Structure formats: C-alpha cells, structure tokens
C-alpha cells in the first residue's frame, strides 16, 4: 500500500503534494499549538497541560495519585511537575531504575506490588513522568492493574514527547527482545511540556530528534527539510513548533490505524533494523550505552538503501538521506558475524508475517510502502554501505 499522509492533512503547510516542484513553505513559527485530539483523549501542550490535568483531577477526585518516576525524572522534573498540580489527594511516588535494561516484567512486578501495598483502587490515578521507558512501562502497569486504572503520560524526553507517549502503545521488553509484551490502551491525556527538555543533554535531544526526522521521511517532505534546516539547534525558536508538528504527524498516523493493521506500520521505518541492532547490543554487552535514536538512524540508512532497490526511492533522495544520517557520525561498528546475528534477530520483528521479515520502505521522501520483502543479501549490502 502506498499512501501520502500529507494529502489527508489540512492544518499546516500550504503545500500541494500533487504538484511537482517546489513546495510553498510557510513560516513554521506561526502555527498555534492548540490541543491535539486523538479518538478518546487529547494531547495538551505547554502551560495548557496544567490547566487540563487540574480540571481533570478536580472532577475525578482520585483516591490516590501515583506518580511513576525514575531517578533522573525524580531529580530533574518532579518538582516542576508537582508544583503545578492542585489537589488534596494523597500523592505517592514510585521510583524505578532508569534505563532500557529495566523495561521488563520484573520492574512491572515491583510497581504492581507497590501499587497494591499503597492501596491502589479503581479510582486511583496513575501518572508516568519520564522518558520512553517510564511511559511505556507505566502505561502497561496502569492498563493491567485491577484490569486497568486511569493514567496520564507526562513525557519528559524528546523521544517520549514525539513518539512513545503518543498513540497508546504500552509495554516492556522480553529478555533482549524489544517491546514484545504489551497492550494498546489510551491514556486519559498526554501532557507535553517542552520546559522539561531544558533538563536534557544535547545527546538526548539528538536521540529524540531522530524520530522527528523519521516522521518527515514517511509523511512530509517539507517537515523533513525543515528539520534539516534546524541543524540540531534546539535553542532555535522554531524547535517547539517542530515538536508540535511531529506529534501531529504521529497522531494522524495513529488515528488512521490505531491497531497497526496498515498505515501505523510506517512509524516503524528504520526500526526493523534498528530494533534488531538494539536487541543485539543489549545481549552482547557491546555498545551498552547505545541510544534508541542511534540504532534507528543506522536502521534508516540500511532501509533507505533497500528502498532504493525495491520501492524506487530516487538516487537523489537516497543520497540526501544517507548524507544526513552519515553526518551524525554514529559510532556503531559491526563485524560480519555481528551483522549476521542482527539479521537473525529480525525474525522477531512484530511486523513479520508467516515468519517472513516485512519492511516499511520509501518510494519517495514523504511516502511509504508497507510489507516489503527483501533478500538477506540485500540487507547485508545495506549494512556494508552503512559501515563503509
Ligand atoms: N512507535 C511506533 C508506534 O507507536 O506505532
């Protein structure tokens, strides 16, 4: 299936994707950042987040409010968040260890047990305050305890703001295999307060921005170009608007296909290879500090090569994508044996059908095609290109 998400959108750029030639770019700072509506919940932005959560708490009158944090968000984000919350309800903090290696059922068991010990009931409210690990795991715990209690995501990393906390996917890893256990269940609301990003190092912002670039690649060439123009200047006044637009793209995709039967698979561009790289690095103790964005960036190089072979991505587009990702100077290097093992791990990808690895590929920047089958040798060649 080939489709152009930008054709369905009518809220920002004045572009006409049916017309070949130069897109007419609008200044990106002028877009009003109003709340974004999903089917059953809203994503609020900036100070509006606190108005909305306080109204919700006043109406719901939760018995207890649980706030899930890790040690980083406890230190850097909790004070800002809680100082804006108006409630007389009891607040209990549950802290987990930071890092992907803790996104597993053992950590869930600890959080489930803490909730029960602290008196969680069906009228409790659960808030995940953190990056992708905290929101993914927190959403899963809250969706399953007592068959589900209300939860709110408060993403504090860029990756969680533009991806993990949008779209209702919650879950954990199984051993070294990413996101194998989970549910699709929406939060009551997601609160995106970009002020939390000021607590993050540059490397973490780059990590999250890789998903923003990906949103441009699958859905919107102008957005992709605007992201390149940003040149990783996260102090630029356009940055908040680009975050907002990225969430709109992700939300549009999810709305069109909440349970990943078709269009939502496009969000996995770069992830078939990227997740296998992450699983491999987690299991081999190599690259222990590997960030998700780095693995996905490597995956995008390989999958763009496959797009050139299979879906007609032009040499010009391919070179632009490859040049951009190679300029990130990713430090990942793999031997032939590593590459073989990584390709083996792709057999666990959730998009596979009948044991066959299915890729999302690009016919052009801004369009995607799902369920593409490729030869193993072609994947190996893609890695060679990445590693050269
Ligand atoms: N992160 C991919 C998705 O939400 O579908």
């Amino acid at each position: 299936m080939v489709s152009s998400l930008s054709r369905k959108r009518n809220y920002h750029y004045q572009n006409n994707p049916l017309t070949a030639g130069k897109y007419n770019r609008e200044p990106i700072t002028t877009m009003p950042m109003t709340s974004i509506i999903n089917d059953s919940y809203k994503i609020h932005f900036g100070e509006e987040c606190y108005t909305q959560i306080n109204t919700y708490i006043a109406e719901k009158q939760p018995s207890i409010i649980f706030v899930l944090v890790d040690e980083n968000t406890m230190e850097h984000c909790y004070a800002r968040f809680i100082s804006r919350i108006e409630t007389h309800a009891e607040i209990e903090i549950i802290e987990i260890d930071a890092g992907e290696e803790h996104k597993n059922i053992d950590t869930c068991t600890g959080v489930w047990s803490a909730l029960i010990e602290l008196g969680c009931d069906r009228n409790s409210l659960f808030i995940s305050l953190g990056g992708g690990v905290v929101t993914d795991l927190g959403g899963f715990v809250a969706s399953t305890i007592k068959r589900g209690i209300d939860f709110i995501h408060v993403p504090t990393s860029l990756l969680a703001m533009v991806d993990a906390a949008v779209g209702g996917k919650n879950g954990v890893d199984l051993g070294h295999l990413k996101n194998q256990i989970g549910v699709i269940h929406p939060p009551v609301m997601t609160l995106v307060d970009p002020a939390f990003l000021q607590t993050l190092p540059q490397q973490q912002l780059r990590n999250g921005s890789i998903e923003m670039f990906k949103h441009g690649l699958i859905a919107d060439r102008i957005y992709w170009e605007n992201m390149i123009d940003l040149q990783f200047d996260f102090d630029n006044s356009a940055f908040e608007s680009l975050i907002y637009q990225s969430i709109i793209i992700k939300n549009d995709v999810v709305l069109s296909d909440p349970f990943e039967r078709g269009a939502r698979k496009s969000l996995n561009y770069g992830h078939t290879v990227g997740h296998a790289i992450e699983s491999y690095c987690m299991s081999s103790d190599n690259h222990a500090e590997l960030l998700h964005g780095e693995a996905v960036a490597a995956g995008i190089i390989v999958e763009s090569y496959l797009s050139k072979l299979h879906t007609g991505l032009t040499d010009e587009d391919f070179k632009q994508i490859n040049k951009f990702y190679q300029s990130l100077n990713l430090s990942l290097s793999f031997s032939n044996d590593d590459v073989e093992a990584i390709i083996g791990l792709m057999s666990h990808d959730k998009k596979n059908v009948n044991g066959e690895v299915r890729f999302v590929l690009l016919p052009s920047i801004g369009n995607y095609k799902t369920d593409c089958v490729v030869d193993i040798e072609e994947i190996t060649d893609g890695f060679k290109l990445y590693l050269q």
Side-chain angles (χ1 to χ4, degrees), residues 115-371:
L115 286 168
I116 301 289
E117 269 172 39
L118 292 166
C120 172
D121 64 25
R122 296 293 300 276
N123 197 40
S124 300
L125 173 62
F126 186 97
I127 298 171
S128 309
L129 178 72
V133 171
V134 172
T135 58
D136 277 9
L137 185 144
F140 178 60
V141 164
S143 301
T144 46
I145 185 110
K146 298 191 184 277
R147 297 206 175 91
I149 61 172
D150 285 357
F151 65 97
I152 292 177
H153 283 324
V154 187
T156 57
S157 71
L158 183 56
L159 180 72
M161 287 180 190
V162 299
D163 188 17
V166 178
K169 275 191 184 174
N170 312 289
V172 293
D173 303 334
L174 183 67
H176 297 121
L177 300 178
K178 296 267 301 172
N179 299 331
Q180 298 285 310
I181 310 294
V183 292
I184 296 184
H185 188 81
V188 169
M189 61 181 74
T190 290
L191 308 180
V192 177
D193 177 0
F196 288 124
L197 298 178
Q198 286 159 15
T199 66
L200 290 177
Q202 189 78 3
Q203 192 201 24
Q204 281 290 346
L205 293 171
R206 275 185 176 240
N207 178 43
S209 74
I210 298 300
E211 298 290 351
M212 299 169 75
F213 282 100
K214 179 206 70 185
H215 287 159
L217 286 177
I218 60 163
D220 192 327
R221 181 187 285 272
I222 299 171
Y223 183 80
W224 158 257
E225 289 173 359
N226 285 335
M227 279 299 296
I228 290 180
D229 288 350
L230 188 73
Q231 296 190 330
F232 296 109
D233 174 9
F234 300 115
D235 293 326
N236 188 311
S237 60
F239 182 46
E240 273 194 20
S241 177
L242 286 164
I243 295 173
Y244 181 76
Q245 292 168 56
S246 190
I247 297 170
I248 288 183
I249 293 174
K250 164 110 198 225
N251 190 55
D252 271 6
V253 176
V254 172
L255 272 174
S256 71
D257 177 24
F259 295 102
E260 200 167 305
R261 314 252 191 265
R264 188 166 183 169
K265 292 181 191 171
S266 65
L267 294 168
N268 287 302
Y269 186 60
H271 286 62
T272 307
V273 172
H275 277 158
I277 291 175
E278 281 185 281
S279 296
Y280 180 70
C281 292
M282 277 167 83
S283 65
S284 68
D285 281 346
N286 274 333
H287 313 294
E289 299 302 315
L290 174 78
L291 294 172
H292 178 69
E294 292 173 321
V296 171
I300 285 176
I301 295 174
V302 176
E303 293 181 24
S304 296
Y305 172 76
L306 297 174
S307 299
K308 196 166 97 129
L309 296 186
H310 284 270
T311 47
L313 185 70
T314 63
D315 205 41
E316 198 186 344
D317 279 356
F318 170 70
K319 281 188 178 141
Q320 192 193 36
I321 297 169
N322 192 36
K323 186 172 161 215
F324 169 73
Y325 284 100
Q326 296 283 9
S327 77
L328 300 177
N329 290 324
L330 302 169
S331 55
L332 300 173
S333 76
F334 301 112
S335 67
N336 290 344
D337 287 348
D338 293 337
V339 171
E340 204 178 308
I342 291 167
I343 293 174
L345 283 163
M346 288 176 202
S347 63
H348 300 288
D349 192 89
K350 293 189 295 305
K351 298 183 303 304
N352 294 352
V353 179
N354 297 334
E356 209 169 49
V357 182
R358 301 283 176 106
F359 283 86
V360 175
L361 298 179
L362 303 182
S364 61
I365 294 176
N367 290 285
Y368 65 87
K369 186 172 187 300
T370 61
D371 296 300

